[in-house]
Amino acid sequence: MQAMPAGSLVVLAVMLPVAAATLAPLLGARGAQRAIVLGLLPASLAVAAAIAAAVLRTGAAIPVHVGGWAPPLGIAFGADGLSAAFLLTGAVVMGATAIFAGRTGLGAAAGTGRAPLAFWTLLPALWAGVNLAFVANDLFSVFIALELLTFGAIPLVCLDGSRETLAAALRYLMFALLGSVLWLLGVALLHGTYGVLDLVLLRGAVRPDAATILAAVLMTVGLLAKAAVFPLHLWLPAAHAGAPAAVSAVLSALVVKAAFFLLVRLWFGTLPALLTPALAGLLAALGAAAILVGGVMALRQARLKLLVAYSTVAQLGYLLLMWPLVLATGPEGAGAWLGGVLQAVSHALAKAAMFLAAGLIAAALGDDRVAALGPAGRAVPLSVLAFALAGLSLMGIPPSGGFTAKWLLLGAAIETGQWWWALVVVGGGLLTGGYLYRVLSSAIGGEGEATAAVPLAPQAVALGLAVLSVGLGMLPLYSFGLVQVGRPGMAP
Amino acid sequence: MTAAQLLVVATPLAPLLLLAAGLPRATRRHLPALLWLAPLPGLAAALLAGGAPPLVLDPDRLRFTLALDAPAALLLGACALLWSAAGIHARAYLGTGPGAVRFAAWWLVTQSGSLGVFVAGDLIGFYLAFALVSLPAYGLIVHDGTPAARRAAAVTLLLAVLGEVALLLGFVLLADAVPGGSIAIADAVAALRGGKAPDLAIALLIAGFGLKAGLLPLHVWLPLAHPAAPMPASAVLSGAIVKAGIIGLLRVLPLDGSEAGWGAALAAIGFATAFWGVGCGITQRNPKTVLAYSTVSQMGLLAAALGLGMAAGEPGAALAIAFAALHHVLAKGALFLAVGVIAGLGGWRAMLLVLLPALVLALGFGGAPLTGGALAKAATKPLFGESLAATLAALSAAGSTLLMLHFTRRLAAGRGAGGVAPGLLLPWLLLAVAAMVLPWVLYPRLGLGDPLALPMPEALWPVLLGAALFAALRRWGARLPAVPEGDLLHPAERVLRATGGWGAGIARIEAALRVWPVAGMALLLLLLAVGATLTIGAR
């Protein structure tokens, strides 16, 4: 990659999906699908891999000033190790979903009329949104990323136009807009106080005065609403469960993760001077509540996709445990940081696999009630296997990525004497095991017949994602140095 | 990598490779017939690679380790032999249908973990192997699909997951204690006392491994699962799978006398389990349930020996316990297969081919002279010393005699007719002979002494006492109340059901939050709370 400076790669990571979204209406649904699967997917994977390689090689973040507009008011992009890891994850999940959707269509209700074209236009728009969130280095670019995600995701939720999905989309819209407004208010306050929008410059400038604290509060709660953190998770189950499988996968795996990513950026990258143990404790307590409530609700759902959606609520809770653990371990403790990031990445892969598998199971049986999954084991064995492997990763069974993540989080909790977070981690694992058991015991060896045949290729896609999520734990812990580049406390 | 190390690596991998080879549609139907091959690398490793230099990945930091020391080699060899024999039995027992292939898949995954626990020398590798031996056993138990099998499998899985949780916390505490980040078990155990909450760590580890080994009060899954599972699965459950708990205890407990208090506690739990198993077992009518309770009792006795050895810092404790466990693997595995064999035999053939060898094995559990069991008892005898513990051990031997005579009687009641396939008969005879002969071959080789020089009369009185008790049981046994399979589980289930309202409560809270005004209020409160944490706790 000598020919192309690393900075252009970062811009390319955003501009490629933007170009695809722009061209899609001209190409039509079929053409856009081909362009995305054959063009955008390999190109994005290559760009993400090249960025990761560049970050690993230099051991430093890549700064970019788009269009030559330097800070304080320019558009700043940048990619550190964390960005690179999430860009790679995003490319894998988006790519897999695109292949999946190309092979299956979008289901009966959403598969006709203008819905396919809308899907193939909005999918790259979402892709651009998540990539922009991962590389944006100024507050306004972040806002644009959040808006792209909102307006890309909401039409996708109600793609089939039914009454229930419209209601779910409306609720989602309310929460998402609220989050955007809170974020924008915070941005305005910060800009008014410091006259800069650049995240790096802000980090050096922030003072703990009233305006800054108010801005931090508004922006934090705004992101919590977008990340569906308990008790602001209420929009998620209906929206994620109502959407077509391919959409659910992207929403659960990436879109809520982008808000989490920005929360990490905000608190560990820009405002660490303001971060108090009390806030870290509050965030983790919200996470613990999410794990409990999400887990119990998932156990009680009658429908498979709602169960998976509530599982997302619970799994997002683990990510918030990072705050007190990273804060307490300090710069030398890499375990909690790595654990949190690994949890996010392995959950992204596992949850995408789960939603795709759940969609296939429902398509094969014509029914997605958990109690009626009997024929699934024989009708779509690969999908059930994908669901099981992804579930084992969520549960934290070795050698999966979820296990390694939990091992690191547990280790950090014990090391810093915060044993109550350790109890939360293992308790959540038990609940996960519980709802996984409900699904698998129903799906294996039951009675009944499948109503429709499901081709092998999309099942293989789901299985591939699940295997990746399990295989993530095989990466020897110490060689996973990528996400440490740009970690708080490390020299830039 | 030397040839010996290669065998150690192949031990847990061979079953998985066989499974991978058997997955394609073309080769699938051959899978059940090849089950007996998968444990052979493990058997070879036990014979040839015991004491080979350990294989260490990342030696400077994490120290992922594969190793096979002498006690583990004994257990590995016995378990591999049992898995192989039971594999032959499984083929004859299950036929060749699609159900047999599914069973074979669960079988091989469980086997990989069951053999893997003996060679894994680091915390993460061991945890992986232990999860493999614990969780897929569900598929073996549930195989018949009856309501009883489903319930037994569900209870077993729930308890196994709870055990995994206890172990995970215990392992994290162990790993935290090691300076420098090594996860080798030996390093972790050596550093245990210096870590945070060492007593909590030991308690969690004893709970997690004790559950698998069937120690009171976490033994309840054994008497449920063993009768519900298909015959060969019961054999490996009782013979090989519970030994994962024994090797776990041997690996993580400091045997150097530094934890005398915990040693005494483990001994107390062990003795209680030994007598509890006998007490519950003699009221059972299903021979497989009787055997399950006998396993509970025997594992209790091993745990007691381990606890006493741990308290005294006995250097040979691990080897002695592994030797006694080896006898249990072979004899108990054999007796489960006998239950499957006798259903097809009657008359003198049943007497000669099943009941007579079964009686010899049964008396062995009480330590009757000249049996393999007598040597197992002799090996662990120094651990029990001369005092109260020795008396308790002798009494439990009498109890074992009683229980196993009761088993033989229930076994005889299962005589049938119609003949038996050689695939069922041969593994049983093979294991029975191994259980009688192997202890005699190994005892002098392991430096435990001269088997012929053992004092006979001393070993005889518990057997005679047990026989007398058996006569009393025959006379008055009908008056005993029948203990339901899984004894303590039943009151525990009632308590659990009473707490089932919690989930509904949480669902109500969640539903309340969904109302718009409440959601708005929650948002407002959250804003205030975040603001408060930023101002009050500001540095």
Side-chain angles (χ1 to χ4, degrees):
Chain A
M1 278 291 167
Q2 286 304 320
M4 189 177 281
S8 330
L9 284 171
V10 177
V11 179
L12 213 54
V14 179
M15 292 319 290
L16 279 175
V18 168
T22 317
L23 288 176
L26 305 176
L27 297 171
R30 182 56 58 90
Q33 174 199 328
R34 267 199 213 115
I36 287 169
V37 172
L38 299 177
L40 182 58
L41 163 57
S44 293
L45 267 178
V47 166
I51 290 175
V55 170
L56 258 186
R57 197 177 55 235
T58 59
I62 308 169
V64 194
H65 298 122
V66 180
W69 296 337
L73 281 179
I75 301 172
F77 286 2
D80 57 7
L82 194 62
S83 314
F86 275 82
L87 283 173
L88 264 178
T89 313
V92 169
V93 172
M94 281 285 181
T97 311
I99 296 174
F100 176 91
R103 291 306 184 108
T104 57
L106 298 165
T112 52
R114 299 172 122 171
L117 180 58
F119 177 82
W120 291 110
T121 311
L122 292 170
L123 189 74
L126 270 187
W127 199 337
V130 289
N131 280 4
L132 182 57
F134 295 153
V135 302
N137 250 2
D138 67 284
L139 293 171
F140 195 72
S141 299
V142 170
F143 178 70
I144 296 179
L146 289 174
E147 290 310 286
L148 258 176
L149 290 176
T150 303
F151 291 105
I154 285 168
L156 283 176
V157 166
C158 52
L159 213 52
D160 69 352
S162 74
R163 184 189 293 267
E164 298 90 64
T165 57
L166 278 176
L170 207 60
R171 185 179 279 268
Y172 184 3
L173 185 67
M174 292 296 290
F175 274 90
L177 283 184
L178 201 77
S180 299
V181 168
L182 292 174
W183 177 267
L184 200 58
L185 277 174
V187 171
L189 274 170
L190 285 182
H191 184 240
T193 312
Y194 300 104
V196 289
L197 291 174
D198 186 90
L199 292 178
V200 182
L201 292 180
L202 261 179
R203 179 192 172 109
V206 284
R207 305 172 298 269
D209 55 12
T212 313
I213 287 179
L214 183 57
V217 170
L218 294 171
M219 293 162 88
T220 304
V221 176
L223 288 178
L224 290 180
K226 285 181 178 281
V229 170
F230 180 87
L232 305 178
H233 67 283
L234 301 160
W235 57 270
L236 186 143
H240 285 195
V247 175
S248 312
V250 170
L251 294 184
S252 249
L254 296 178
V255 173
V256 284
K257 234 40 110 345
F260 158 77
F261 178 93
L262 292 170
L263 205 59
V264 171
R265 265 277 189 278
L266 182 69
W267 279 110
F268 293 118
T270 307
L271 301 176
L274 257 58
L275 183 54
T276 60
L279 176 71
L282 175 68
L283 288 176
L286 292 177
I291 291 173
L292 176 68
V293 174
V296 170
M297 292 303 291
L299 267 174
R300 298 174 63 85
Q301 295 309 309
R303 285 184 47 217
L304 183 59
K305 282 190 79 180
L306 269 175
L307 182 151
V308 181
Y310 269 108
S311 147
T312 299
V313 172
Q315 296 293 325
L316 290 171
Y318 282 104
L319 302 176
L320 295 174
L321 299 182
M322 255 177 93
W323 269 259
L325 298 179
V326 170
L327 192 64
T329 42
E332 71 280 1
W337 177 260
L338 183 54
V341 174
L342 202 54
Q343 168 71 15
V345 172
S346 75
H347 173 256
L349 297 169
K351 193 45 68 72
M354 258 184 163
F355 263 121
L356 297 184
L360 291 171
I361 292 171
L365 307 188
D367 189 348
D368 87 328
R369 283 175 304 127
V370 176
L373 294 179
R378 263 173 298 124
V380 276
L382 287 185
S383 300
V384 174
L385 182 62
F387 196 97
L389 286 178
L392 291 178
S393 178
L394 292 188
M395 195 177 155
I397 299 295
S400 65
F403 167 73
T404 311
K406 280 181 186 148
W407 174 268
L408 291 167
L409 290 174
L410 281 173
I414 299 289
E415 194 188 326
T416 59
Q418 307 182 65
W419 51 267
W420 46 92
W421 301 132
L423 290 187
V424 170
V425 170
V426 296
L430 279 182
L431 286 169
T432 311
Y435 56 74
L436 188 62
Y437 173 76
R438 271 192 69 208
V439 174
L440 293 181
S441 66
S442 170
I444 296 173
E447 301 299 315
E449 285 303 319
T451 55
V454 169
L456 211 57
Q459 297 200 60
V461 171
L463 188 59
L465 285 172
V467 167
L468 274 182
S469 171
V470 169
L472 210 55
M474 303 268 196
L475 282 179
L477 303 178
Y478 58 94
S479 76
F480 206 67
L482 177 65
V483 303
Q484 305 292 356
V485 179
R487 182 167 65 82
M490 274 187 55
Chain B
M1 205 189 291
T2 64
Q5 286 174 333
L6 196 66
L7 280 176
V8 172
V9 175
T11 297
L13 287 185
L16 296 180
L17 290 177
L18 181 64
L19 177 60
L23 279 183
R25 225 170 268 279
T27 50
R28 198 175 291 174
R29 65 198 165 84
H30 301 296
L31 197 55
L34 298 176
L35 286 181
W36 65 278
L37 284 171
L40 295 186
L43 189 58
L47 291 172
L48 305 171
L55 193 65
V56 182
L57 281 177
D58 189 21
D60 300 324
R61 197 160 162 269
L62 287 175
R63 297 175 59 77
F64 288 103
T65 309
L66 278 176
L68 189 63
D69 55 6
L74 281 181
L75 280 165
L76 173 63
C79 288
L81 191 60
L82 170 59
W83 274 104
S84 189
I88 301 174
H89 186 99
R91 151 83 172 157
Y93 184 84
L94 294 164
T96 51
V101 175
R102 195 173 67 217
F103 184 86
W106 292 114
W107 178 271
L108 289 170
V109 178
T110 310
Q111 185 182 96
S112 164
S114 169
L115 303 181
V117 288
F118 299 119
V119 298
D122 61 87
L123 292 170
I124 291 187
F126 192 92
Y127 189 78
L128 168 61
F130 200 82
L132 279 182
V133 68
S134 295
L135 304 180
Y138 172 83
L140 296 179
I141 301 167
V142 83
H143 181 79
D144 286 344
T146 59
R150 285 179 171 271
R151 174 157 178 276
V155 169
T156 305
L157 188 63
L158 175 66
L159 283 172
V161 170
L162 288 176
E164 295 282 315
V165 166
L167 285 183
L168 182 59
L169 284 175
F171 277 18
V172 170
L173 281 168
L174 278 181
D176 183 58
V178 187
S182 161
I183 53 165
I185 297 179
D187 296 344
V189 173
L192 175 62
R193 249 315 135 188
K196 297 188 184 69
D199 291 308
L200 179 64
I202 297 179
L204 286 166
L205 293 168
I206 290 182
F209 288 129
L211 187 149
K212 186 92 319 196
L215 297 188
L216 200 69
L218 301 172
H219 66 286
V220 292
W221 66 275
L222 278 118
L224 277 188
H226 293 195
M231 217 59 82
S234 310
V236 293
L237 273 173
S238 217
I241 291 175
V242 295
K243 301 304 179 296
I246 297 296
I247 189 72
L249 290 173
L250 284 176
R251 283 259 190 272
V252 302
L253 293 178
L255 298 177
D256 54 4
S258 60
E259 301 287 346
W262 277 107
L266 182 61
I269 298 173
F271 277 125
T273 309
F275 290 108
W276 185 273
V278 171
C280 292
I282 53 173
T283 69
Q284 304 298 324
R285 298 185 59 80
N286 183 342
K288 286 172 84 182
T289 318
V290 181
L291 282 181
Y293 274 113
S294 157
T295 298
V296 170
S297 171
Q298 292 295 313
M299 293 303 105
L301 201 61
L302 280 185
L306 177 59
L308 292 168
M310 194 177 151
E314 195 74 44
L319 195 67
I321 287 161
F323 179 77
L326 166 132
H327 170 257
H328 183 262
V329 173
L330 299 170
K332 193 54 67 74
L335 288 177
F336 268 105
L337 298 187
V339 179
V341 170
I342 201 158
L345 291 177
W348 66 268
R349 291 158 66 89
M351 196 60 79
L352 197 66
L353 288 174
V354 182
L355 287 176
L356 194 63
L359 185 67
V360 174
L361 292 180
L363 289 174
F365 280 103
L370 299 178
T371 60
L375 298 183
K377 287 263 181 290
T380 50
K381 194 166 186 303
L383 299 174
F384 289 108
E386 298 294 330
S387 57
L388 172 70
T391 316
L392 286 173
L395 282 177
S396 94
S400 292
T401 309
L402 162 69
L403 184 58
M404 293 313 292
L405 286 174
H406 174 62
F407 161 74
T408 316
R409 181 159 162 246
R410 297 308 312 161
L411 182 68
R415 270 173 299 183
V420 64
L424 295 178
L425 187 62
L426 286 178
W428 141 245
L429 291 176
L430 171 77
L431 282 176
V433 169
M436 292 175 206
V437 173
L438 274 182
W440 286 90
V441 176
L442 291 170
Y443 193 83
R445 286 180 161 223
L446 294 170
L448 293 168
D450 179 6
L452 294 172
L454 290 172
M456 273 205 218
E458 205 180 311
L460 207 55
W461 75 259
V463 180
L464 294 177
L465 177 60
L469 286 172
F470 176 65
L473 180 71
R474 283 198 70 167
R475 178 77 178 74
W476 294 294
R479 296 191 195 168
L480 286 177
V483 177
E485 290 175 350
D487 53 274
L488 288 177
L489 180 67
H490 300 269
E493 271 183 330
R494 276 197 289 280
V495 174
L496 271 182
R497 240 175 255 133
T499 59
W502 286 32
I506 287 178
R508 270 198 298 280
I509 295 175
E510 221 259 353
L513 277 172
R514 222 172 300 169
V515 184
W516 279 110
V518 182
M521 194 60 82
L523 180 78
L524 216 57
L525 283 177
L526 194 56
L527 281 166
L528 290 175
V530 173
T533 56
L534 281 179
T535 45
I536 296 167
R539 286 174 288 183

